[in-house]
Amino acid sequence: MKITFLFIFFFFANPSVTEIRKLYKTAAATESVAKDMAVKLADVTKEDNNKVLVAYKGASIIILSKLEKKGTDKSKKFKEGATLLEYAVTAEPNAIEIRMIRLSIQENVPKIVNYRGNKKEDKKFLLDHYKEQTGALKAYVGEFISQSNSFTAIEKQLVE
């Protein structure tokens, strides 16, 4: 009975944030990575306690929306992903990683989709709260800031 429970737990457990972070770094540039990330996040729902994973799922859906052939399908997928991402931000507005995910999406989507309204807010949030972070999260956010086009050279020096 215990073995069955452990198998079910591990088989249906959500992926680790660490695992998803690694995939996210290249998901937008590599279709196979984007699809792998989406598969790993398939069972994540709004009801999950880990809203960071919910945000990554939303970002994953947005990334994959560009692969849709029909404009209506692209739009539908994009809205689905943006809804999840915004839900995560609303649920945990002080989570720096969720804000970073939204900023990374908003700085890379085409202007035509009209999903760029939080760039200044999220940039400020990241700069204001970066020094409070520790360990792997601080390094991850710092790496994002240092490569992001949203930050000036002076702002990037603050995270080095």
Side-chain angles (χ1 to χ4, degrees):
M1 187 70 148
K2 287 183 182 180
I3 293 173
T4 304
F5 173 74
L6 287 175
F7 172 74
I8 291 170
F9 175 76
F10 285 116
F11 186 73
F12 291 106
N14 285 334
S16 72
V17 171
T18 302
E19 177 183 12
I20 296 302
R21 283 178 187 160
K22 288 177 187 173
L23 294 172
Y24 189 65
K25 288 180 184 182
T26 59
T30 311
E31 183 178 331
S32 61
V33 174
K35 288 179 177 179
D36 185 34
M37 184 174 155
V39 167
K40 291 182 185 313
L41 292 167
D43 292 332
V44 171
T45 66
K46 286 182 175 181
E47 289 73 33
D48 284 319
N49 288 332
N50 192 335
K51 300 306 181 215
V52 172
L53 288 178
V54 174
Y56 277 118
K57 181 173 183 171
S60 173
I61 294 168
I62 290 170
I63 291 167
L64 287 176
S65 71
K66 69 182 180 184
L67 301 176
E68 295 293 332
K69 302 289 185 229
K70 294 169 52 180
T72 54
D73 293 340
K74 281 182 192 279
S75 178
K76 181 180 172 188
K77 281 288 191 190
F78 187 91
K79 287 177 184 173
E80 177 187 350
T83 298
L84 276 177
L85 184 49
E86 289 302 319
Y87 170 80
V89 173
T90 301
E92 291 191 20
N94 295 319
I96 195 168
E97 189 163 3
I98 294 173
R99 295 294 196 99
M100 184 210 76
I101 295 165
R102 182 169 70 178
L103 178 57
S104 73
I105 290 294
Q106 289 191 356
E107 71 182 14
N108 288 293
V109 296
K111 288 181 182 178
I112 195 166
V113 299
N114 201 23
Y115 186 61
R116 305 181 87 158
N118 307 99
K119 287 171 58 177
K120 288 181 183 177
E121 168 192 342
D122 290 342
K123 173 186 168 180
K124 181 178 180 346
F125 187 89
L126 266 63
L127 290 172
D128 289 349
H129 298 280
Y130 172 76
K131 292 191 188 266
E132 301 165 10
Q133 308 310 307
T134 59
L137 178 57
K138 186 174 188 174
Y140 184 63
V141 173
E143 183 180 342
F144 167 75
I145 291 171
S146 66
Q147 63 79 40
S148 170
N149 293 329
S150 295
F151 296 87
T152 66
I154 293 170
E155 290 167 335
K156 289 177 182 186
Q157 287 178 350
L158 298 173
V159 302
E160 292 176 351

